[in-house]
Amino acid sequence: MVFQNINSISVDTVLVIQKDLEPYDMTSLVFLLYEIPDTALQRLTVYQKVSKDIDNDTMNLLHHWASHAQTRPSWKHELLEALCICRLYNIIRKLGFDVTSVKHQYQPSNMNFTAHISIIKKILYRLCESVNSELLLRLKKTLLTYGIDTTTHESCELILLELMCQKFVVFKQTKEMKIDFSKLTEILEHFPSLCSFASLLTDVENKLNKTEESLVQDIELTTPTKKNLECKDSDNVKVQYDASDLDEFYEHFNQLNLNYVPSDLTTDKRQSFKDSYPILNPKRVGVCCIINQEEFHPSKENITHKIHIDLTTRHGSTKDQIALENIMSSLNFEVMVRKNLDHKEFIDFIKHVLKNCVHKDDSVFVLCILSHGVRGHVYAANSVKIKVEDIQTLLDTDIAINLYGKPKVLILQACQVDEEPSPASDLVADGPSKFFLRKSDFLIYWATAPEYEAFRQTSKGSLFIQFLCIVLKKRARNDHIYDIFTRVTDIVTNVCSTVRKQQVPIFESTLRRKLYLYKPL
């Protein structure tokens, strides 16, 4: 049978087989397997730049997917089907499978059948196979007339991911929108060699829009479907709980032996400070600012622009604030807290801290923002969006001269659901007076990846912040911040997967060394 060898596939196996993949194969597999278009596009864009290098082993895109996907029972089947769709039969043989049996199981040439891969992704992948370099150039020029610039994308897969990210096509049904390929199919109909894909996509769109409504899950944490679920955490401890009440999650993970580290990670334990950012003063590691946006009100700016935003009170956010205050104080940070700031007060507070409260011998700056949010933005108390990029820019100005070359960590408890892009910001930041590489030494950690909600329980606080504080308490005195954040991502993802909620924390970094938040006195 096809699945006799399925257990031979492991995360380590994926790390081995990806070395045999050509860049275009890796691009195809990421396109088929990654669930979040933004994440796939971001990583493939970087991969596109580095894949021409002789040594690009750092871009372990398939291994990264497997590391996160292994929480799903079907992940090995997803990988095998994707390999079959891409006709990577040499890899399939290397995994110990009979190619004929695998092809019979997954029917890669049947455009109306998939077992584990999205039928839409399969059709779009076949579309990409049919696009040669001439068609790709014409498609790019056509998209430019729609105001979508894909000139830097070297493959059709990246172009389609761009269209998904910009919601030019909608390939997943939600409560707010149905699957929509109408704009893309209109374009494909004007390319004779591609018009057959237009009818395929239209048929699938009609079928899925009729049948998927019952599959759309409720994203409200307060009203989940009650089920008695079983979770197995990474320390091999089984827990029974009701998905409608997360109290047991908090209690269980608070009691976990979070100091446990698999043997293959022991080299990440602190050995010395030679390869890490220096901590100049152990008695005062740095400054931690916490902005807790708990209550919201309409603003003149939104009303005059006829922007209706109904932001609810974030009950439970004070629990997060207190947890962050306690842990950061215990790590010898000076903690400064402000609540319910409008957008001007928000920026003024950060400027004040940077100018007057950050000392020359401070080693780390941490900014924690607890608020509602949409993709790339957080909300001020007056319901005005603030770009996270603008905050990052502010930390690169002359006001923050004492932070040049020092690590800056942004922790953001906010959703990243989609919304129309905001008007250009009126925040103008003067550049540094001396040469300084902007956006270096940053680590930004979002509670959830793009398109996903970030869940909070009114009586306990948010999943992300509470688990972050637990892991910091257990491990910040020994582990560097990458290991800590990776551990938190694993815990939150496992919890949310078990209760069938979509939340996956994600961090992006331009740090140049390991970062520890504590140094023994």
Side-chain angles (χ1 to χ4, degrees):
M1 292 180 62
V2 159
F3 302 128
Q4 285 179 342
N5 297 327
I6 197 69
N7 289 329
S8 66
I9 300 177
S10 67
V11 174
D12 291 336
T13 305
V14 174
L15 187 60
V16 173
I17 65 171
Q18 72 177 12
K19 294 179 181 179
D20 296 330
L21 297 174
E22 297 293 335
Y24 56 83
D25 292 328
M26 179 69 79
T27 298
S28 299
L29 289 171
V30 168
F31 177 77
L32 287 169
L33 292 169
Y34 274 51
E35 292 186 354
I36 304 173
D38 295 78
T39 304
L41 179 61
Q42 180 187 38
R43 290 179 179 157
L44 284 176
T45 300
V46 176
Y47 182 74
Q48 178 180 277
K49 296 177 181 177
V50 304
S51 61
K52 300 179 180 65
D53 296 340
I54 296 175
D55 181 12
N56 62 348
D57 289 341
T58 56
M59 294 299 293
N60 296 323
L61 301 185
L62 198 58
H63 181 260
H64 186 277
W65 168 82
S67 299
H68 290 277
Q70 63 179 327
T71 58
R72 297 193 300 271
S74 63
W75 78 273
K76 297 176 183 180
H77 301 276
E78 294 170 31
L79 175 63
L80 194 57
E81 183 174 10
L83 291 170
C84 189
I85 292 172
C86 295
R87 301 185 181 91
L88 294 172
Y89 301 135
N90 59 322
I91 303 294
I92 293 173
R93 291 189 189 94
K94 189 171 185 177
L95 291 172
F97 292 91
D98 177 70
V99 171
T100 302
S101 299
V102 171
K103 289 170 67 175
H104 177 75
Q105 179 71 31
Y106 295 121
Q107 303 177 38
S109 300
N110 186 346
M111 301 295 285
N112 295 307
F113 172 84
T114 58
H116 301 280
I117 299 296
S118 162
I119 185 68
I120 293 174
K121 286 283 192 74
K122 183 176 181 179
I123 294 172
L124 291 177
Y125 171 70
R126 292 292 181 234
L127 166 64
C128 293
E129 283 192 316
S130 302
V131 175
N132 57 28
S133 57
E134 180 184 351
L135 281 175
L136 191 68
L137 180 60
R138 291 174 58 196
L139 181 59
K140 289 180 180 181
K141 291 181 178 180
T142 301
L143 289 173
L144 273 176
T145 66
Y146 285 79
I148 298 177
D149 187 357
T150 60
T151 52
T152 60
H153 296 328
E154 296 179 0
S155 71
C156 187
E157 286 92 342
L158 267 69
I159 291 176
L160 292 174
L161 287 170
E162 183 75 54
L163 298 182
M164 293 175 191
C165 292
Q166 296 197 29
K167 294 297 181 268
F168 190 84
V169 299
V170 180
F171 81 108
K172 281 189 176 181
Q173 188 186 57
T174 66
K175 285 186 174 181
E176 292 74 25
M177 58 183 65
K178 292 185 176 183
I179 294 168
D180 186 4
F181 284 91
S182 57
K183 296 178 182 177
L184 178 61
T185 54
E186 287 176 353
I187 293 174
L188 295 179
E189 286 170 354
H190 290 269
F191 288 81
S193 61
L194 302 177
C195 60
S196 61
F197 291 97
S199 58
L200 272 172
L201 289 170
T202 300
D203 289 343
V204 170
E205 175 185 332
N206 292 335
K207 290 177 182 177
L208 293 180
N209 282 336
K210 289 178 182 178
T211 60
E212 282 214 358
E213 185 172 357
S214 61
L215 300 179
V216 177
Q217 297 178 0
D218 186 5
I219 63 171
E220 293 295 335
L221 188 60
T222 54
T223 57
T225 302
K226 290 189 176 182
K227 292 184 179 179
N228 194 35
L229 304 172
E230 183 179 275
C231 162
K232 182 180 287 187
D233 63 54
S234 54
D235 288 326
N236 299 319
V237 180
K238 289 187 177 181
V239 190
Q240 293 283 341
Y241 43 77
D242 191 308
S244 63
D245 188 355
L246 294 178
D247 288 351
E248 292 184 47
F249 281 123
Y250 290 102
E251 182 61 26
H252 168 62
F253 282 102
N254 194 36
Q255 294 177 0
L256 277 180
N257 179 18
L258 294 175
N259 290 317
Y260 167 78
V261 180
S263 58
D264 60 337
L265 294 180
T266 54
T267 55
D268 287 338
K269 301 290 283 186
R270 183 194 304 226
Q271 302 295 333
S272 69
F273 288 94
K274 293 180 180 179
D275 61 345
S276 63
Y277 287 96
I279 294 180
L280 304 176
N281 180 5
K283 294 183 179 180
R284 178 189 161 106
V285 175
V287 175
C288 173
C289 293
I290 303 171
I291 299 178
N292 180 15
Q293 307 288 44
E294 194 162 357
E295 298 176 354
F296 301 83
H297 58 273
S299 66
K300 179 180 179 181
E301 180 171 334
N302 285 338
I303 293 172
T304 55
H305 288 89
K306 300 186 184 302
I307 300 173
H308 178 73
I309 301 174
D310 184 17
L311 299 175
T312 58
T313 300
R314 299 181 61 257
H315 296 294
S317 188
T318 297
K319 299 284 187 182
D320 292 343
Q321 173 193 315
I322 294 172
L324 285 168
E325 284 185 80
N326 291 339
I327 186 59
M328 297 309 293
S329 295
S330 72
L331 295 173
N332 297 330
F333 279 78
E334 179 183 349
V335 180
M336 307 181 68
V337 180
R338 293 293 185 276
K339 295 186 69 171
N340 302 327
L341 303 179
D342 66 29
H343 68 291
K344 292 182 180 179
E345 293 169 338
F346 187 108
I347 297 300
D348 287 344
F349 170 58
I350 296 177
K351 287 181 177 179
H352 168 75
V353 172
L354 294 175
K355 186 176 181 179
N356 302 304
C357 304
V358 176
H359 299 171
K360 289 184 178 179
D361 62 349
D362 286 337
S363 303
V364 186
F365 179 78
V366 179
L367 174 60
C368 305
I369 302 173
L370 315 174
S371 187
H372 287 297
V374 291
R375 187 199 302 265
H377 299 74
V378 291
Y379 278 103
N382 60 342
S383 303
V384 174
K385 288 186 295 185
I386 300 174
K387 272 187 177 182
V388 174
E389 185 177 357
D390 285 343
I391 299 170
Q392 189 178 2
T393 300
L394 187 60
L395 300 180
D396 271 344
T397 63
D398 279 345
I399 299 175
I401 192 169
N402 287 334
L403 293 178
Y404 286 1
K406 297 177 182 178
K408 297 163 278 284
V409 181
L410 276 65
I411 297 173
L412 306 168
Q413 167 57 38
C415 295
Q416 284 213 75
V417 293
D418 292 322
E419 187 167 288
E420 290 298 315
S422 60
S425 171
D426 58 358
L427 174 63
V428 178
D430 295 328
S433 56
K434 62 179 181 179
F435 178 78
F436 180 68
L437 188 60
R438 291 184 177 224
K439 296 189 178 181
S440 63
D441 307 292
F442 271 93
L443 179 60
I444 303 177
Y445 195 15
W446 283 92
T448 192
E451 296 187 4
Y452 282 2
E453 301 279 337
F455 295 105
R456 169 175 37 85
Q457 194 177 36
T458 58
S459 62
K460 297 288 185 180
S462 66
L463 299 176
F464 171 66
I465 294 296
Q466 293 299 319
F467 289 150
L468 173 62
C469 291
I470 289 171
V471 179
L472 283 170
K473 181 179 179 181
K474 300 278 187 178
R475 302 179 70 164
R477 286 167 172 77
N478 293 304
D479 292 359
H480 61 79
I481 204 163
Y482 272 18
D483 277 358
I484 291 170
F485 283 3
T486 301
R487 179 66 165 162
V488 173
T489 298
D490 180 51
I491 292 174
V492 173
T493 302
N494 283 334
V495 170
C496 290
S497 295
T498 305
V499 294
R500 295 174 173 81
K501 301 297 178 185
Q502 293 185 330
Q503 178 176 347
V504 180
I506 185 171
F507 60 88
E508 52 191 41
S509 172
T510 57
L511 295 184
R512 296 174 292 158
R513 304 178 185 178
K514 292 180 180 179
L515 171 59
Y516 294 93
L517 299 179
Y518 180 83
K519 181 179 181 180
L521 298 175

